[in-house]
Amino acid sequence: MKIYTKTGDDGKTSLFGGTRVRKSNLRIDAYGTVDELNSFIGLVKDQVDDEFVTKDLLRIQNKLFALGAMLATPIEKQKLKDGTDRLKIEKVEADEITYLENQMDVMDEDLEPMRHFILPGGHSVVSFCHIARCVCRRAERITVELAESEEINPNIITYLNRLSDYLFVLARKLTKDYKVKEIPWIG
């Protein structure tokens, strides 16, 4: 199978289910940004030498792949004519949101309470983690905008919101693990 199909040369692409839309469509922007986020999380994962974190990030990458497929499938195309689900994947549900919360609680147990805003940096993996957090927030904003005009699964927005929190806590954990000092914001 060739990677190039030439079907997008006119500036359009297909959503899952066959609907053709402009590549500038908000739905494309939403799942494209989730894909970008997934790539940055892969970058963070590749820099970390911690089995706990690596396992979490791999799980998150898999969930983001599913979340992207959910975003790529308009609500009216989620069921096939025979009533079965078009997406034959494990969707992102509330238990995954709870999982992120629990993992944050575990990481937080070993961190000093925050006393000030902190600047991203101090170590490359910490900076990559903050970049992933920012991309996650952008994916969330785009998805919220999409939800204003099209129906989407509300777990998608909640998951992205919680994931950005997770990435912030992970950045703080990595700062501690790599023995670098948090850089306070001086305002």
Side-chain angles (χ1 to χ4, degrees), residues 20-21 36 56 60 71 89-90 103 119 137 146 185:
R20 299 283 295 167
V21 296
E36 180 184 355
D56 265 2
I60 289 165
L71 283 168
I89 60 170
E90 190 175 310
Q103 296 305 90
L119 298 176
R137 286 286 189 211
L146 175 64
W185 173 63

Side-chain angles (χ1 to χ4, degrees), residues 101-125:
E101 292 170 349
N102 291 337
Q103 296 305 90
M104 281 187 279
D105 292 343
V106 168
M107 289 187 287
D108 252 343
E109 289 174 7
D110 292 333
L111 297 174
E112 294 291 321
M114 280 190 54
R115 291 176 173 64
H116 45 73
F117 290 110
I118 58 171
L119 298 176
H123 191 281
S124 58
V125 72

Side-chain angles (χ1 to χ4, degrees), residues 10 26 29 45 49 93 122 128 138 160-161 180 185:
D10 64 350
L26 202 52
D29 200 15
K45 185 181 76 198
D49 187 26
E93 302 292 345
F128 291 143
R138 179 164 30 97
L160 290 171
N161 181 274
V180 294
W185 173 63

Side-chain angles (χ1 to χ4, degrees), residues 59 63 67 70 90-104 153-160 162-163:
R59 179 177 178 152
K63 292 304 168 186
L67 193 142
M70 292 167 69
E90 190 175 310
K91 297 177 185 71
V92 176
E93 302 292 345
D95 62 324
E96 284 303 316
I97 296 161
T98 302
Y99 178 82
L100 290 176
E101 292 170 349
N102 291 337
Q103 296 305 90
M104 281 187 279
N153 182 322
N155 286 330
I156 294 172
I157 295 170
T158 305
Y159 186 83
L160 290 171
R162 210 65 82 248
L163 179 56

Side-chain angles (χ1 to χ4, degrees), residues 4-15 18-25 28:
Y4 59 91
T5 62
K6 302 182 183 182
T7 59
D9 292 352
D10 64 350
K12 291 184 179 177
T13 191
S14 292
L15 297 174
T19 305
R20 299 283 295 167
V21 296
R22 301 284 311 154
K23 290 184 177 184
S24 58
N25 183 286
I28 305 301

Side-chain angles (χ1 to χ4, degrees), residues 120-131 171-172 174-175 178 180:
H123 191 281
S124 58
V125 72
V126 174
S127 296
F128 291 143
C129 198
H130 280 291
I131 290 169
R172 293 195 68 223
L174 294 173
T175 296
Y178 287 89
V180 294

